[in-house]
Amino acid sequence: MGYFPFFMELEGKCGVIVGGGNVAARKVERLLSFGPDLTVIAPDIEACVKTQGKLLQEGAAASLQFEERAFRLEDLEHADFVIAATDDTVLNGEIADCCKARRIPVNVVDDREKCTFFFPALIKEGPLTIGISTDGKSPFAASWVRRELEGSLPEELGSVIDLLGQIRPAVMEQEVEENDRKELFGRLFSYCLDCMEKGESVTVEELTDLLKAGLLKTDV
């Protein structure tokens, strides 16, 4: 049937990562920019994992804690999601079974049958997030698609999306009909892309003036 790609708010969510090696480090690196409160648990947490904590910017929404000890079942009590990333397949399986019994989403590294969610190959630029999944069947293929897509996206696309987010309330107020809104958003997006391709900067004030003057009702 395949896996539906839900996009969920992770800021402030409690994530537990069991394992302290390179795989855990990669999971931490992917997650931190989305603002969760992560706890890494392992008897030996390697430097590659601890380094991720040093990369957190001051005032960042995410947090990262380390517990250098063996995993305990009570570690799941307040978890919103769990990643089993140890080199012990038996332990990983036990963690997955406990999570499923408690209806906690769990990802088990290198064991798709034990997973209730997968890590997609990610493209992240500002507010733009693209997730690519192969249902856990071929992470290599997902990474290849990610690289291909990254090379085809316009530069500064994230900045354009930020601008559109800022102007969105004005558009919603100006256009009552849904179809009119869609058309106007399309014209705004095209205008921003055209300016970007010409190397010209665009500001919210400029877009606001265009809206007020009605210049985006026709091609600009």
Side-chain angles (χ1 to χ4, degrees):
M1 293 292 291
Y3 284 69
F4 188 85
F6 280 109
F7 281 76
M8 301 178 64
E9 174 65 69
L10 287 186
E11 185 170 338
K13 299 295 184 183
C14 297
V16 174
I17 299 177
V18 187
N22 288 322
V23 175
R26 290 197 297 272
K27 303 299 185 185
V28 170
E29 181 182 13
R30 291 187 196 179
L31 287 166
L32 283 180
S33 61
F34 294 92
D37 298 325
L38 298 180
T39 300
V40 179
I41 301 170
D44 181 24
I45 299 175
E46 297 179 15
C48 59
V49 182
K50 293 181 178 179
T51 299
Q52 300 302 321
K54 298 177 183 178
L55 299 177
L56 274 175
Q57 296 180 353
E58 186 176 350
S63 68
L64 180 59
Q65 301 180 46
F66 304 109
E67 299 281 348
E68 288 198 289
R69 57 171 175 78
F71 168 77
R72 299 190 291 259
L73 283 180
E74 52 263 37
D75 293 325
L76 302 178
E77 288 182 1
H78 302 292
D80 293 306
F81 64 93
V82 174
I83 298 166
T86 78
D87 55 7
D88 184 337
T89 56
V90 174
L91 176 58
N92 286 347
E94 291 175 352
I95 293 170
D97 291 341
C98 290
C99 287
K100 290 176 182 178
R102 303 181 186 199
R103 297 188 176 182
I104 302 171
V106 60
N107 176 269
V108 182
V109 175
D110 292 333
D111 191 343
R112 70 180 300 274
E113 301 302 326
K114 291 288 187 180
C115 295
T116 59
F117 75 92
F118 295 129
F119 263 78
L122 285 176
I123 297 173
K124 183 95 169 74
E125 184 183 339
L128 175 66
T129 302
I130 301 172
I132 302 146
S133 173
T134 58
D135 288 352
K137 296 176 181 177
S138 180
F140 181 87
S143 295
W144 181 87
V145 173
R146 174 184 57 79
R147 291 192 298 271
E148 291 293 306
L149 286 177
E150 277 183 322
S152 65
L153 293 175
E155 293 183 6
E156 300 183 7
L157 183 56
S159 299
V160 168
I161 294 171
D162 268 327
L163 279 173
L164 295 175
Q166 294 176 59
I167 200 68
R168 185 177 181 82
V171 174
M172 300 292 285
E173 182 178 348
Q174 179 171 312
E175 299 294 344
V176 177
E177 297 296 329
E178 183 179 357
N179 288 338
D180 293 337
R181 287 175 180 172
K182 287 181 178 179
E183 182 180 351
L184 186 49
F185 278 128
R187 290 185 179 277
L188 282 165
F189 184 64
S190 296
Y191 177 81
C192 290
L193 285 182
D194 288 342
C195 291
M196 185 175 61
E197 289 175 359
K198 297 173 184 176
E200 300 173 357
S201 61
V202 187
T203 65
V204 176
E205 291 74 21
E206 178 183 348
L207 295 180
T208 301
D209 290 341
L210 288 171
L211 281 177
K212 290 179 178 178
L215 296 178
L216 288 167
K217 291 290 186 178
T218 57
D219 292 332
V220 295

